Amino acid sequence: MKISVSSYSYQQKIKAGEMTQLDVPRVASEMGIEGIDFTELKPNDAPTLAEQLDYAAKIRAEAEKYGMTIVGYTVGANLYQGSPEEDEKEVERLKGQVDVAVAMGAKVMRHDVCKKERQEDGTVVSFAKMLPTIAANARKITEYAASKGLKTCSENHGYVAQDSDRVEALYNAVNHENYGLLIDFGNFACVDEDSAKAVSRLAPYAFHVHAKDFRIYPHGRVTEEKGFSTRGCNKLVGCAIGEGDIPVAQCVAIMKRVGYDSFMTIEYEGNEDCLVGIEKGYKNLKRFIEA
């Protein structure tokens, strides 16, 4: 197994204007990391597809310069828009992002699938009711990606399509050999699910893996640390891998047990300096993999 890092992990520096996405290959290589996941490319605040494609070529050149593998491309999406016409627009947009991933040289593209049960018109639609539409649209995207030599996947992410049973249902409903799952160890805590149990359920379907850690504060336990609420109103605070309450070492062992032997991507979203958090997490994750 090799270790990669998400460009999202450097958001502190990028938002502060101290780095851009183009700097990530150099900075990551200096830590000894071998690969990168890029979040949606942002050469400016509202890039056109043509601008993203141009930026993708520049990022690919930077990665090659520093001997870095571009492992994945991560984009937002909502495959339940409320009408067939709007769904089709979103599918076409995602096909454009497939082209960006291919131009960048990524091996896999992860896209979200839905945002929330309460729709813009105020109606409530359950995940189970959204699932057939989401799956059909995800299948269209992966069929297009397959024609380009790119795999697609969805992550346990976004509070709705995040529980392991829902993610497994989505995988089964899409039912395409080019489509799999991105398993994020930490994200199960966002819906108050045990990470080790969830990972053991989904591990066989993994196309890609994100390693992440959180400190978990049960509802009512006060902390001044910056964090966010889980679906069940507990609090999560990001931290370096190996310093929180997510059983990352056990999750790594589970992935090894099922024969996963691809990249494992560090995703850091803690409060301390991101370069420090990433480096500590890299050392701990390497130790877990080698155990």
Side-chain angles (χ1 to χ4, degrees):
M1 239 182 289
K2 296 180 179 180
I3 297 176
S4 45
V5 64
S6 171
S7 65
Y8 180 77
S9 301
Y10 299 94
Q11 278 299 100
Q12 283 180 6
K13 302 296 185 184
I14 292 172
K15 286 183 176 180
E18 298 173 25
M19 283 179 63
T20 70
Q21 289 175 312
L22 278 173
D23 294 316
V24 172
R26 173 184 57 81
V27 175
S29 70
E30 289 170 353
M31 287 188 183
I33 297 171
E34 298 178 83
I36 310 167
D37 278 14
F38 276 92
T39 51
E40 204 154 336
L41 296 191
K42 294 283 188 179
N44 55 61
D45 291 337
T48 64
L49 178 57
E51 288 172 329
Q52 286 184 307
L53 288 167
D54 179 67
Y55 203 50
K58 292 177 180 177
I59 283 176
R60 184 171 189 164
E62 282 297 298
E64 290 173 353
K65 178 180 177 181
Y66 291 99
M68 303 291 288
T69 299
I70 297 180
V71 183
Y73 184 45
T74 301
V75 298
N78 180 15
L79 300 183
Y80 189 88
Q81 292 282 334
S83 75
E85 295 78 16
E86 292 302 313
D87 284 345
E88 193 58 33
K89 286 181 183 179
E90 183 72 340
V91 168
E92 290 303 311
R93 185 185 72 82
L94 267 293
K95 288 180 179 178
Q97 293 305 299
V98 166
D99 294 340
V100 173
V102 171
M104 193 164 42
K107 312 300 180 185
V108 64
M109 186 181 91
R110 168 278 214 190
H111 60 77
D112 287 326
V113 295
C114 61
K115 289 186 176 179
K116 53 191 175 183
E117 295 94 343
R118 188 171 296 279
Q119 306 302 305
E120 297 301 324
D121 62 2
T123 60
V124 175
V125 183
S126 70
F127 174 75
K129 289 182 179 179
M130 288 189 278
L131 182 57
T133 298
I134 291 169
N137 290 330
R139 196 175 305 115
K140 291 175 184 177
I141 296 163
T142 205
E143 286 170 351
Y144 178 76
S147 74
K148 303 285 185 175
L150 178 77
K151 292 182 179 294
T152 67
C153 60
S154 300
E155 182 179 353
N156 51 309
H157 183 254
Y159 293 114
V160 181
Q162 194 154 6
D163 314 67
S164 61
D165 60 338
R166 293 183 179 183
V167 176
E168 185 175 37
L170 174 62
Y171 170 82
N172 290 333
V174 176
N175 190 26
H176 196 286
E177 63 183 7
N178 198 60
Y179 177 86
L181 300 181
L182 192 164
I183 297 175
D184 185 301
F185 298 159
N187 278 356
F188 294 108
C190 301
V191 290
D192 309 287
E193 186 173 14
D194 178 79
S195 290
K197 183 177 180 180
V199 172
S200 70
R201 178 176 192 161
L202 300 179
Y205 318 129
F207 273 8
H208 193 28
V209 171
H210 280 180
K212 180 191 296 174
D213 209 346
F214 291 117
R215 286 191 285 276
I216 303 174
Y217 294 89
H219 178 65
R221 182 178 169 187
V222 178
T223 175
E224 298 302 317
E225 292 182 279
K226 182 181 177 182
F228 63 96
S229 176
T230 71
R231 198 170 65 194
C233 294
N234 297 309
K235 184 175 181 178
L236 301 181
V237 175
C239 61
I241 291 168
E243 295 189 349
D245 297 310
I246 304 300
V248 178
Q250 184 178 2
C251 291
V252 170
I254 292 166
M255 296 310 305
K256 289 168 70 174
R257 183 185 63 80
V258 300
Y260 182 82
D261 194 31
S262 188
F263 278 90
M264 192 167 284
T265 293
I266 296 166
E267 193 171 63
Y268 173 76
E269 51 187 70
N271 295 320
E272 69 179 328
D273 184 278
C274 62
L275 299 183
V276 175
I278 293 166
E279 186 164 18
K280 288 195 294 185
Y282 170 66
K283 291 177 180 177
N284 284 333
L285 184 59
K286 186 176 182 181
R287 178 166 53 85
F288 297 157
I289 290 172
E290 293 174 349

